[in-house]
Amino acid sequence: MVQLYNLHPFGSQRVVPCKQEPAHFCCGRDVLFVASTAASCRVEVFAVREQGHCEPLGSFATLGPVLRMAHSQAGDYLVTIEEKSKATFLRAYMNWRCMSAGSSRVCVRMVGHKMEESYSETLREQMSIVEMPLSDPPLCVSCCPVNGDLLVGCKNKLVMFCLKYLVINQNLTVLDFERSLILHIANLIPAEVAFCARHIAVTTELDVLILKLELVQQSAGGTEQCAQRVSTLEKPVGGGVKDEGPSTHTLQLELDEFIICQKPVELLGEESKLCEIPITLESTELPTEDTKCFQVRYLLFRRFTPEQSPFGFCEETKLHSVQLLPVYQTGSSVTAHEETENKRELLSLFCFFSLPHVGYLYSVGKLVELISTYQYSEKSEQAVLTPQFLHVITSENLQCFTVRCSAAAARDEDPYIDTTVKACPPVALDVCTLRMQLFIGPRAICHFKNHIILLTKADTEDITERRKPTRRMLSRKADSIKSRTNSESEPGWNLYIINTVSTIQLYREMVDYSRTYENVKTESCIHLLSEAHLLVRAAIMDPRFLKSDEKEQLLRAFRESCAFLGDCYSRFDTKDYHLALPYYRMSGLSMTEVLKRLVSEDDEIQTYERGFIFYLTHSLNEDLNEELSKESANKVLRIFYLADPVQLPHIVCSPCMRNVCPLTAVKYLQKVEKIMPSVVLTLTKAFMALKMGDLMMYEHEMESYKETILACGFIGQPKLLRQHKEGIVMPTEFAFHLKEMQPGLLVAAAVALHENNKIELEEADTFFKMLCSNSENTIPQLLVDFWEALLVVCSQEEILQELLLRVTSQYVWRISKHHLPETKPLKTTEDLINSCNHFGLIFPWVTAVMSVGSPSDKGYHEDISKLQSLLCGQSINIASALPVLEPLTEAGNVGLAIHVLCNTRLGRYEEAIDQLLKRCPDAAVLYAQHELKDDSRAVWWNKLLPELCKRTRLTGNDCPVLISSLKETLSVVAMELELRDFLSLLPEDGTAAFFLPHLLHCSQRKLLT
């Protein structure tokens, strides 16, 4: 559906002072080229100044009447298709600006002609005409706006010429072309072509085909081999046309009386390969290292039938005005001397084509899809697409439609559009007609910058009727008519330059117009403001935006349009109410400013729509740096109490509401509690009680639930404990109070938040450090309590190992630095062993080692026992913990126990026995009894028994501990080994009386078995 508004996109209009009737015209940069009708064979050039002022620059002759013409901004050349003696010629006019400087010298050369330096020096001061001979007559032509390449349409083929910049010397660069590629397309007579960034759109009377030339990796075989491979891929399955035999002519005569219409077809993307239009590529450029190799990708094929149009006869239904429109990355610009492909980054590409009564706009960049359909009120003659508008001429009107190019391009450019961060009016938004301007006999149209060039030509009867004088003016007018020359007596044509108004002016008119719909709250208000927004967005995406005098005004208008759209989605009850949030964000308005726009100053009860509540809810729940004033915060309380009371506890906890009156908040919370009580609401009331200093009320609220339920209640609203300010975690007054009065509840709440993904581990570290006023490098005991509590419930292996290393590091640091915790730990070693399977029972041999420790270790007994318990468990990765445990190497019996535990976990039993026998032999047998089992049992006789025999021999009877350990070891070995094996282990110089009881025991065990 097309909306119709009566706006004023057209400003002043001026007449181009042409000497002859125009046949064709086109624009380029700051000039207008006008090709005269067949009689004169000249092209007039006009400089277009501000406000549409035209100044003649000169003219130059053509070979014959111009049939088609186009200007390329890249290279600044004019290309024409001219006719002479019933033959057509393709010519390019280079350096034509010399004509305006008064030079009449012209150089005509063939394309690809090699120029000597002495010859080419003259090209600097004269116009150069490049002849481009073709084997078939050229029918249509198009210049690529990105790099200046040229595409020529001929019967059954498209020929591509690459623009070349030939550097003659340091001061002279000459333009030339190289015919690089031919696309052979069977049974196709192109009516129009469009060419942009290797995309090709070609139309016949009723067919549209859009292609893309894609670069392929060139093989070692060279260009010829590559071209052959591409053409093989593109050949259709059906093959060529077969000889129809002698009956073909007779059948054709019979069919001449009928019109055969094929079915309408639309094929997009990969499906367009099924169009059965074979394409063969022929590379014609000289093979070099830089030769590009292409393959064809089909993007779109559409076939229309005359029956699709309910107007006129079949033969009147023909396609016209095919156009490819590029949209570049925002802020990428190009100057007059930067006409290379890499200077501007292409963002999106659009294709437009039209039937007499309907036009179609497609996106053909990243995704091929139909964006808009334009229904015309009467038969169209021609149309021209711009990033902001579609201008269409009919028999009596110049019509201006809006387009959706900027909406589609914005989504290609910014992935955050259509999220809660950014928004843009939808691509599917109905287009609208901004203006239908009456003109007599529009015939042709083109556009550049903010100008529309319009050729009008009235029919003879229109001129006669228009000039018929009234009786009162007859005598005076008759004299003036008679005095004119023959050419002036029939001026049925005019060439106008119509200035489109500035974007800002039209934007203001749209905004003013939208206010007529404001009070009735219709979708038309949103629609018109969306059009205004897209108008400004398109201007900002224009490459000329960075150099525009209106840059600041456009940016201001963009923010203002976002604010207006935010107002609409906040005030109106629409299904897209959620868009209020991203539009307000894009507007740059603060929450206070939005409240002033939407909330009345008096105390009257307002109706607040979903969009406004959605915006406030999200804004308040996010960690913004804005703090509302006391008055604004109290207004927000009242709004949510009336509109969404369930959210009230969460709103009160927002950092933006720091200045809210706690007494007012408690009153509203008490009203809500009567209807919908909850733990979060109770905690919020307790928070407000702390702010008021009412400890009795605080204690009453906190006693309403058990501590475990209260801890889980913080999951519903973590901001009761921590808030963010400028990206930094800040504990609340509630957290500080719990730290002093109920640290266990605080730690339990923090664990619940972590396990429910409400707080990250690093964030919790910062929280507890700030809560305890510790420096970055100091670990408070409360944080250690949190780590220990988290170990009880944590199930993620990665986080578990991180926590184990953290608590281990802290225990080691305190033991090595003789540093006592600043507060009493919440859990003892026994508590951890009973509640957490990562802490194990301390082994008896560890206790034996520690029993002979120094009294100085007693003050750190809790940290020592926790560390030992952790190493006695099976969870910690010992290999990762070794660097952390390094400071305890020389820490007496503490270090000994730790290192023996580590060696044991790593399977180094012999090293552990050496350490124990050297420093604490009392514990050696206890260690062996506990650790040397199953696969490690052989260590008893392979390591422990020989070591004890060796050490006892050296010390004799002076070390009774070694003797008793040897006896116990012999008893164990005697039970395990065969008599012969046992006997082989005994020392040859040993006392028989000492070893004999063990030998007898071993032999008796053998007899019993």
Side-chain angles (χ1 to χ4, degrees):
M1 186 178 70
V2 179
Q3 304 272 359
L4 178 60
Y5 300 107
N6 190 24
L7 299 173
H8 300 85
F10 306 125
S12 61
Q13 66 184 47
R14 297 178 183 275
V15 177
V16 180
C18 299
K19 296 178 180 179
Q20 300 291 332
E21 179 181 346
H24 298 278
F25 55 91
C26 66
C27 304
R29 294 191 180 172
D30 55 349
V31 294
L32 171 64
F33 299 93
V34 181
S36 305
T37 51
S40 63
C41 299
R42 294 195 71 81
V43 173
E44 296 181 79
V45 186
F46 299 91
V48 182
R49 308 301 185 196
E50 291 297 322
Q51 302 302 319
H53 292 281
C54 268
E55 298 177 5
L57 288 180
S59 65
F60 53 86
T62 59
L63 191 64
V66 174
L67 304 180
R68 300 287 181 99
M69 66 189 303
H71 177 268
S72 172
Q73 181 171 342
D76 194 21
Y77 66 87
L78 181 73
V79 62
T80 63
I81 297 176
E82 303 170 17
E83 183 180 31
K84 185 174 184 180
S85 301
K86 296 184 179 180
T88 52
F89 300 87
L90 182 66
R91 308 177 100 202
Y93 294 83
M94 312 285 193
N95 207 22
W96 51 267
R97 292 181 185 267
C98 291
M99 305 298 293
S100 62
S103 174
S104 59
R105 298 177 63 182
V106 176
C107 165
V108 181
R109 56 189 169 91
M110 294 292 289
V111 65
H113 176 72
K114 185 177 181 181
M115 291 164 286
E116 300 295 335
E117 185 170 349
S118 58
Y119 168 74
S120 56
E121 281 292 336
T122 60
L123 296 177
R124 190 196 310 275
E125 300 173 357
Q126 65 184 13
M127 185 172 73
S128 177
I129 303 174
V130 180
E131 297 271 7
M132 289 176 273
L134 296 166
S135 59
D136 295 289
L139 302 175
C140 46
V141 66
S142 177
C143 303
C144 175
V146 176
N147 54 28
D149 289 349
L150 181 64
L151 186 72
V152 184
C154 305
K155 183 179 180 181
N156 296 333
K157 69 173 67 173
L158 301 175
V159 184
M160 187 173 80
F161 292 87
C162 288
L163 181 65
K164 300 290 184 181
Y165 293 83
L166 304 178
V167 179
I168 306 301
N169 55 45
Q170 187 176 0
N171 301 316
L172 180 62
T173 301
V174 177
L175 298 182
D176 198 9
F177 292 96
E178 180 182 6
R179 187 172 65 175
S180 59
L181 191 66
I182 300 176
L183 292 84
H184 296 276
I185 308 176
N187 303 319
L188 182 85
I189 302 178
E192 291 182 320
V193 292
F195 188 37
C196 180
R198 299 194 188 120
H199 290 73
I200 297 171
V202 56
T203 62
T204 62
E205 288 189 355
L206 292 172
D207 292 352
V208 183
L209 178 62
I210 303 178
L211 312 166
K212 183 180 181 182
L213 295 174
E214 293 185 328
L215 284 172
V216 294
Q217 292 294 330
Q218 188 170 337
S219 63
T223 310
E224 183 177 350
Q225 185 179 357
C226 180
Q228 183 180 357
R229 182 177 69 250
V230 173
S231 44
T232 303
L233 289 172
E234 301 300 334
K235 285 180 181 177
V237 177
V241 179
K242 296 180 181 179
D243 186 6
E244 299 180 5
S247 62
T248 305
H249 179 67
T250 308
L251 181 62
Q252 184 63 43
L253 291 174
E254 293 176 0
L255 293 177
D256 283 344
E257 299 179 7
F258 299 93
I259 297 175
I260 300 175
C261 300
Q262 296 181 337
K263 289 183 179 180
V265 176
E266 182 184 35
L267 300 173
L268 303 179
E270 291 298 319
E271 290 185 355
S272 57
K273 289 181 180 178
L274 305 175
C275 65
E276 297 182 356
I277 298 179
I279 299 175
T280 304
L281 298 183
E282 178 188 350
S283 179
T284 57
E285 62 182 334
L286 294 174
T288 63
E289 293 181 358
D290 300 327
T291 298
K292 296 176 181 177
C293 188
F294 295 103
Q295 68 181 8
V296 171
R297 180 158 70 97
Y298 292 81
L299 299 180
L300 180 145
F301 175 76
R302 185 149 188 184
R303 173 173 291 151
F304 298 92
T305 61
E307 287 78 9
Q308 282 186 286
S309 173
F311 306 93
F313 296 103
C314 296
E315 58 267 21
E316 294 181 357
T317 306
K318 294 181 182 178
L319 287 163
H320 65 77
S321 305
V322 66
Q323 183 179 345
L324 287 172
L325 178 71
V327 175
Y328 303 98
Q329 288 281 0
T330 302
S332 67
S333 60
V334 64
T335 66
H337 301 289
E338 294 177 335
E339 296 121 348
T340 60
E341 187 176 359
N342 298 324
K343 294 298 181 181
R344 292 185 292 183
E345 187 176 351
L346 187 67
L347 174 64
S348 304
L349 189 64
F350 303 92
C351 182
F352 175 82
F353 49 85
S354 182
L355 288 168
H357 291 89
V358 60
Y360 300 92
L361 178 61
Y362 282 85
S363 170
V364 293
K366 297 176 182 176
L367 184 67
V368 181
E369 61 179 340
L370 178 64
I371 292 180
S372 304
T373 302
Y374 296 87
Q375 298 287 341
Y376 310 138
S377 57
E378 53 185 303
K379 180 184 174 184
S380 63
E381 300 291 338
Q382 194 182 348
V384 61
L385 178 69
T386 76
Q388 290 180 310
F389 305 110
L390 173 68
H391 300 291
V392 180
I393 55 173
T394 65
S395 59
E396 295 181 348
N397 284 298
L398 168 59
Q399 300 182 6
C400 179
F401 295 88
T402 55
V403 295
R404 300 289 167 259
C405 297
S406 59
R411 286 166 171 81
D412 289 339
E413 183 177 43
D414 195 339
Y416 289 101
I417 286 181
D418 297 325
T419 65
T420 57
V421 179
K422 294 180 182 179
C424 180
V427 176
L429 183 72
D430 289 341
V431 295
C432 71
T433 308
L434 296 181
R435 186 76 178 176
M436 297 176 69
Q437 187 74 39
L438 283 172
F439 278 93
I440 297 176
R443 288 291 185 270
I445 185 173
C446 75
H447 170 274
F448 81 113
K449 294 184 179 177
N450 61 328
H451 308 294
I452 296 169
I453 316 300
L454 180 66
L455 173 65
T456 64
K457 186 174 182 180
D459 296 331
T460 307
E461 56 269 22
D462 294 334
I463 300 170
T464 306
E465 187 66 28
R466 186 178 55 181
R467 290 186 172 181
K468 188 181 292 183
T470 61
R471 289 184 178 180
R472 189 167 45 187
M473 301 291 292
L474 186 59
S475 60
R476 187 171 59 187
K477 281 205 170 185
D479 293 337
S480 64
I481 293 171
K482 287 178 184 178
S483 64
R484 293 180 178 176
T485 64
N486 186 43
S487 63
E488 291 174 334
S489 62
E490 294 293 335
W493 59 268
N494 269 312
L495 189 62
Y496 295 103
I497 288 189
I498 304 167
N499 296 314
T500 54
V501 300
S502 69
T503 300
I504 295 297
Q505 183 178 337
L506 185 56
Y507 164 77
R508 294 289 175 210
E509 187 182 7
M510 285 180 165
V511 171
D512 292 341
Y513 198 161
S514 70
R515 294 198 173 104
T516 61
Y517 301 103
E518 203 169 24
N519 295 328
V520 290
K521 294 186 178 181
T522 66
E523 289 293 327
S524 294
C525 183
I526 294 177
H527 185 275
L528 199 50
L529 286 172
S530 297
E531 293 287 8
H533 176 87
L534 289 175
L535 182 74
V536 176
R537 188 184 279 274
I540 291 174
M541 298 183 81
D542 191 299
R544 295 170 293 172
F545 168 70
L546 292 176
K547 299 178 181 179
S548 172
D549 296 334
E550 296 182 329
K551 180 178 177 180
E552 291 303 321
Q553 286 182 288
L554 286 170
L555 291 173
R556 192 159 49 247
F558 180 81
R559 292 190 292 268
E560 183 185 71
S561 70
C562 292
F564 286 144
L565 283 167
D567 292 345
C568 286
Y569 287 112
S570 295
R571 289 175 175 152
F572 302 167
D573 185 16
T574 69
K575 62 182 178 63
D576 296 321
Y577 65 89
H578 60 278
L579 293 175
L581 176 62
Y583 277 121
Y584 274 139
R585 280 178 170 170
M586 293 162 66
S587 72
L589 292 175
S590 66
M591 210 182 318
T592 302
E593 291 169 326
V594 173
L595 286 169
K596 288 180 180 178
R597 293 169 75 97
L598 299 176
V599 182
S600 60
E601 293 295 329
D602 51 21
D603 292 332
E604 67 176 76
I605 296 177
Q606 287 183 255
T607 301
Y608 302 104
E609 298 295 346
R610 292 179 295 171
F612 181 44
I613 300 302
F614 184 83
Y615 162 74
L616 281 180
T617 302
H618 276 263
S619 299
L620 292 167
N621 284 334
E622 291 176 3
D623 298 310
L624 303 178
N625 295 327
E626 179 183 2
E627 289 187 16
L628 296 176
S629 65
K630 183 177 181 180
E631 294 76 15
S632 297
N634 290 341
K635 278 185 181 180
V636 170
L637 281 179
R638 189 163 184 267
I639 290 168
F640 276 94
Y641 174 69
L642 295 173
D644 193 3
V646 177
Q647 295 293 328
L648 204 56
H650 306 283
I651 298 307
V652 171
C653 298
S654 170
C656 304
M657 300 285 283
R658 287 190 182 97
N659 298 322
V660 71
C661 173
L663 183 60
T664 305
V666 168
K667 288 179 180 178
Y668 280 118
L669 290 169
Q670 287 173 340
K671 291 179 182 179
V672 175
E673 190 176 33
K674 294 176 182 178
I675 309 168
M676 292 169 287
S678 69
V679 184
V680 175
L681 193 148
T682 299
L683 288 170
T684 308
K685 286 173 64 181
F687 189 14
M688 292 299 103
L690 281 177
K691 284 193 170 186
M692 291 188 294
D694 191 342
L695 293 180
M696 288 185 63
M697 178 183 173
Y698 168 81
E699 290 174 2
H700 172 74
E701 296 298 334
M702 295 297 284
E703 290 171 359
S704 302
Y705 295 93
K706 293 181 180 179
E707 210 172 79
T708 53
I709 298 175
L710 289 174
C712 294
F714 288 104
I715 299 172
Q717 185 45 261
K719 289 176 183 173
L720 287 164
L721 293 179
R722 60 106 179 93
Q723 295 176 352
H724 288 82
K725 188 173 184 181
E726 297 179 357
I728 301 173
V729 179
M730 302 290 292
T732 62
E733 299 96 319
F734 205 166
F736 279 105
H737 184 80
L738 289 176
K739 174 208 161 191
E740 299 297 333
M741 307 304 296
Q742 292 176 281
L745 175 58
L746 177 62
V747 169
V751 169
L753 291 178
H754 181 272
E755 289 303 291
N756 286 273
N757 300 317
K758 301 291 185 179
I759 190 170
E760 298 294 329
L761 197 58
E762 298 299 331
E763 193 179 3
D765 291 355
T766 306
F767 169 78
F768 280 106
K769 286 177 181 179
M770 295 194 71
L771 189 66
C772 300
S773 301
N774 284 67
S775 66
E776 187 66 28
N777 298 322
T778 308
I779 307 297
Q781 175 57 38
L782 208 57
L783 178 54
V784 179
D785 292 329
F786 167 70
W787 290 341
E788 291 174 345
L790 197 54
L791 280 171
V792 177
V793 296
C794 183
S795 58
Q796 300 179 47
E797 183 62 26
E798 186 178 348
I799 296 177
L800 176 63
Q801 290 300 324
E802 176 67 22
L803 288 171
L804 290 170
L805 286 176
R806 288 187 182 195
V807 294
T808 300
S809 176
Q810 187 60 19
Y811 297 152
V812 169
W813 182 81
R814 285 180 183 171
I815 295 168
S816 61
K817 299 294 182 182
H818 302 288
H819 187 278
L820 293 173
E822 66 273 16
T823 58
K824 183 180 179 182
L826 294 178
K827 289 183 182 290
T828 63
T829 306
E830 187 176 354
D831 293 334
L832 290 172
I833 293 172
N834 293 332
S835 62
C836 180
N837 57 7
H838 306 302
F839 288 83
L841 287 169
I842 298 176
F843 303 145
W845 64 266
V846 175
T847 306
V849 170
M850 295 304 299
S851 63
V852 294
S854 60
S856 60
D857 293 337
K858 306 258 179 168
Y860 319 103
H861 173 73
E862 198 63 39
D863 285 331
I864 294 171
S865 61
K866 284 181 180 179
L867 178 59
Q868 291 172 346
S869 175
L870 201 60
L871 296 174
C872 289
Q874 298 299 313
S875 298
I876 190 169
N877 187 324
I878 294 296
S880 302
L882 284 177
V884 177
L885 296 167
E886 190 64 31
L888 295 181
T889 305
E890 305 298 330
N893 283 2
V894 176
L896 173 63
I898 297 303
H899 277 270
V900 173
L901 279 168
C902 291
N903 282 328
T904 303
R905 286 285 305 277
L906 294 172
R908 301 172 184 169
Y909 300 105
E910 295 186 1
E911 292 182 31
I913 287 171
D914 282 337
Q915 290 173 333
L916 286 173
L917 289 175
K918 181 180 179 181
R919 297 175 58 183
C920 187
D922 304 58
V925 175
L926 276 175
Y927 172 82
Q929 289 172 342
H930 189 270
E931 302 293 345
L932 302 183
K933 299 174 182 178
D934 301 326
D935 295 340
S936 59
R937 201 161 185 79
V939 179
W940 278 95
W941 50 87
N942 290 333
K943 178 65 180 177
L944 183 58
L945 180 58
E947 281 294 326
L948 285 171
C949 290
K950 176 182 175 182
R951 293 174 186 272
T952 304
R953 182 185 295 110
L954 293 174
T955 58
N957 295 327
D958 296 336
C959 188
V961 173
L962 288 176
I963 295 173
S964 63
S965 296
L966 179 58
K967 288 181 179 180
E968 290 188 41
T969 303
L970 287 168
S971 300
V972 172
V973 173
M975 291 297 294
E976 294 292 331
L977 297 182
E978 297 290 336
L979 181 60
R980 181 180 298 176
D981 296 331
F982 179 55
L983 187 60
S984 66
L985 293 173
L986 301 180
E988 295 179 357
D989 57 345
T991 305
F994 183 82
F995 293 102
L996 187 58
H998 300 289
L999 283 168
L1000 291 172
H1001 183 68
C1002 181
S1003 62
Q1004 289 172 357
R1005 179 181 60 80
K1006 180 65 177 175
L1007 291 173
L1008 290 173
T1009 57

